[in-house]
Amino acid sequence: MAALSLFLALVLLGAAVHKALQRERLTQATARLTGLTAPLAMLMLVLAGVLEALAALAILIPATRAAGLAGAAIVWTIYAAALLRRRGTVLDCGCDFVRSDKPVGTATILRPALLAALAIGGAIAPPGGWTIETPFAAAALIALWLAASELAALTAPAHSQRRARS
């Protein structure tokens, strides 16, 4: 469980840093996703980034690990619900490091839902101790997560492009 907790903390920290570095783009994405005005979307973006950073830090502290994972699950569940509400809408959800206007689909909705489920599982599981393998296992999970994200970002698989040409 230590590697899973570290993985989730790293995802949260990455998301918080992403929000800080790409404020303008992600403010627009938040406004489109939530239907809020730009100033309120900026406030929501900052709040989400702060919550992500706090949850990540809480996960890394053994005494607050379960609370941090529960907080992360709440944040990711809210993201999943907002995306579900916009299912089929073409927009940049801000989920990736680069701007990508595409329809909000199943993979986009399931991504935060899966993270929420992992966080809930981590919160109710007994904490595992850190070993020398923990950071390597967490890094492997990050690599797999990013690879899955890249695969999900593909707009049209090759087989559907061939069918469209026929």
Side-chain angles (χ1 to χ4, degrees):
M1 269 309 131
L4 176 64
S5 294
L6 180 56
F7 160 71
L8 294 172
L10 291 171
V11 170
L12 287 164
L13 285 174
V17 169
H18 181 221
K19 287 173 179 59
L21 294 177
Q22 293 193 352
R23 282 184 314 275
E24 290 180 31
R25 174 188 156 225
L26 296 179
T27 296
Q28 293 172 359
T30 302
R32 294 263 338 258
L33 189 61
T34 61
L36 296 172
T37 63
L40 288 176
M42 172 68 91
L43 180 62
M44 171 116 17
L45 182 71
V46 170
L47 178 61
V50 168
L51 290 174
E52 288 167 338
L54 288 174
L57 292 173
I59 290 169
L60 297 176
I61 300 169
T64 59
R65 182 186 71 74
L69 288 165
I74 290 168
V75 168
W76 284 319
T77 299
I78 291 169
Y79 286 161
L83 289 164
L84 182 61
R85 206 175 117 243
R86 293 293 193 180
R87 183 182 185 100
T89 305
V90 175
L91 55 82
D92 172 23
C93 68
C95 304
D96 299 308
F97 296 119
V98 295
R99 182 177 178 85
S100 176
D101 289 333
K102 61 184 177 195
V104 175
T106 303
T108 306
I109 297 164
L110 286 179
R111 189 158 75 178
L114 174 62
L115 289 170
L118 290 172
I120 291 167
I124 60 177
W130 281 56
T131 64
I132 191 70
E133 293 91 5
T134 300
F136 297 105
L141 289 171
I142 288 287
L144 289 171
W145 184 257
L146 292 174
S149 178
E150 288 299 313
L151 289 173
L154 297 175
T155 54
H159 68 276
S160 63
Q161 287 177 354
R162 280 190 296 255
R163 269 191 256 144
R165 285 187 221 145
S166 302

